[in-house]
Amino acid sequence: MVRQVGSLLPTGFASHALQVLQKVQRGLSPVELVYTSHEHWPFQPGLTVHTRPTLRISVLDSSFNPPTLAHLALARSPLPSYQGVSTSAPTPSRLDYDAKLLLLSTRNADKSMKPGDATYIQRLEMMRLLSRDLCSTNSTKTEYDCPSPVIGNVAIAIIDEPTFVGKSATLLRFLRTRLASPMNSSSLSSATGRQEGAFPLPYPELTFLLGYDTLGRLFSPKYYPSEEIMSQMLQAFLSPNEEGCRIVCAHRTIPETSQKELRGKTLEVAQEFIASGRIILIDIGAREQTYSSSEVRAKVAAGDEAWKYLVTGVIANYIMGNALYAQPTF
């Protein structure tokens, strides 16, 4: 029996998502928040002071068509230890990110909407269900109470940018404005003034969470006007003296035919940033690193029930309840 998941989605979520989606698609706004776990996101709920100059935000940017257990594992990955990084396999620190963001772009540099794909609203609904999974250490639950403010400090956003370099610049502008808004600044300023070493307006520090195949696209010259411009844009994107973004990339099992070429080209260009610790390679699990959204869609279309093991229970129920991917979309 298919469990209804409508009760797990807030009333009016779809209509609200449609409104903000149309706002972004019409060019009225470059980025919009669809959901936040509380009104002061990305600050942690109940926070009265911030004692570091940066606010560390992880950004999981994907097509979410559909979200898989690989997405969940990557979104749950802890903040790596960046100090003295000279290896592709650092020991994770005990600290988590201050906030997490699930990001959906209305423009994709590689993928266009195909017949049979989940619509943007359906993807946003699945992202909302995924955000509930992020609040729990047990992905099989269907009702969640976030065990800590950090784990539950999640937001969902739509953006109108096809490249990571463009997304970074747009998100940073948006977040600086949001952090400086009267809603946030007024709640922090009075307490901050009484505590030495507190920062009323921290700088947003973005860490993009990627799969290895996506890392290859980030360093591919075909997505830039020229290799020289690519180098300049990536330097600005990853340099601590400019935008200061980082990348945490999950090892990924990819077809043997493309593996050697991808690893060679990607690592050759990315080596400078890997050596400096701006790019960190992590393991998300032997099974999870093999999962992909395209595999889920293919198995659903083929009637192979094994697809259910690649997603969380609530996502599986959503796919069945909405009859998604019954026809091939690739």
Side-chain angles (χ1 to χ4, degrees):
M1 178 182 295
V2 177
R3 179 185 174 88
Q4 296 298 316
V5 297
S7 61
L8 299 181
L9 291 167
T11 302
F13 178 82
S15 60
H16 170 66
L18 179 59
Q19 290 177 359
V20 295
L21 173 63
Q22 291 175 339
K23 188 175 181 180
V24 171
Q25 288 179 321
R26 292 169 182 170
L28 302 177
S29 175
V31 59
E32 284 287 325
L33 291 172
V34 180
Y35 161 79
T36 60
S37 54
H38 64 100
E39 64 177 346
H40 294 293
W41 184 94
F43 288 113
Q44 293 176 24
L47 182 72
T48 56
V49 293
H50 192 81
T51 56
R52 291 191 314 276
T54 60
L55 193 69
R56 301 167 304 198
I57 304 171
S58 69
V59 182
L60 178 56
D61 172 57
S62 177
S63 59
F64 297 103
N65 186 32
T68 69
L69 289 173
H71 288 101
L72 182 60
L74 193 52
R76 282 180 170 170
S77 62
L79 179 73
S81 175
Y82 294 114
Q83 296 182 351
V85 171
S86 60
T87 174
S88 63
T91 301
S93 71
R94 294 184 178 180
L95 298 176
D96 199 356
Y97 298 96
D98 297 303
K100 299 176 186 289
L101 178 65
L102 304 178
L103 185 65
L104 177 67
S105 178
T106 59
R107 285 193 293 163
N108 192 299
D110 287 294
K111 304 172 184 177
S112 59
M113 189 81 74
K114 301 181 181 67
D117 273 341
T119 66
Y120 285 132
I121 299 303
Q122 289 171 330
R123 298 184 200 198
L124 289 167
E125 287 187 323
M126 288 189 284
M127 291 166 70
R128 180 66 181 94
L129 294 173
L130 184 69
S131 75
R132 298 173 68 91
D133 285 319
L134 284 175
C135 294
S136 172
T137 57
N138 182 353
S139 63
T140 63
K141 291 183 179 179
T142 55
E143 297 291 344
Y144 302 107
D145 292 315
C146 296
S148 77
V150 175
I151 292 176
N153 198 23
V154 182
I156 298 170
I158 308 173
I159 195 168
D160 184 33
E161 284 288 346
T163 67
F164 282 100
V165 174
K167 290 168 187 174
S168 167
T170 300
L171 284 175
L172 286 172
R173 286 193 297 268
F174 171 80
L175 289 167
R176 288 170 195 151
T177 300
R178 182 173 175 83
L179 290 173
S181 69
M183 176 185 69
N184 282 322
S185 59
S186 62
S187 65
L188 298 173
S189 58
S190 58
T192 300
R194 298 192 300 269
Q195 180 167 324
E196 183 179 356
F199 293 86
L201 191 61
Y203 183 87
E205 181 182 86
L206 304 182
T207 297
F208 285 86
L209 309 177
L210 312 179
Y212 198 89
D213 49 350
T214 305
L215 183 66
R217 293 194 293 272
L218 176 65
F219 287 92
S220 175
K222 73 176 183 178
Y223 299 111
Y224 304 87
S226 68
E227 289 195 31
E228 181 180 359
I229 293 177
M230 178 185 77
S231 178
Q232 294 171 355
M233 295 178 73
L234 289 173
Q235 285 288 347
F237 173 49
L238 294 169
S239 171
N241 299 320
E242 296 189 56
E243 293 182 10
C245 296
R246 296 182 187 271
I247 291 174
V248 167
C249 177
H251 291 289
R252 175 76 180 275
T253 301
I254 57 178
E256 187 67 31
T257 54
S258 59
Q259 192 173 95
K260 183 177 180 180
E261 179 182 7
L262 176 60
R263 290 184 181 276
K265 288 183 178 180
T266 299
L267 292 183
E268 181 180 351
V269 180
Q271 191 56 50
E272 171 191 348
F273 301 107
I274 293 175
S276 65
R278 305 308 298 182
I279 297 177
I280 304 289
L281 302 181
I282 64 169
D283 290 313
I284 60 172
R287 289 183 300 175
E288 287 83 356
Q289 74 174 10
T290 67
Y291 298 165
S292 69
S293 297
S294 59
E295 182 181 6
V296 173
R297 298 195 302 270
K299 287 184 180 298
V300 172
D304 184 348
E305 294 288 304
W307 69 267
K308 297 177 183 177
Y309 297 101
L310 309 182
V311 298
T312 65
V314 289
I315 297 295
N317 287 331
Y318 184 92
I319 291 172
M320 290 185 290
N322 289 273
L324 294 180
Y325 315 123
Q327 299 298 323
T329 61
F330 36 86

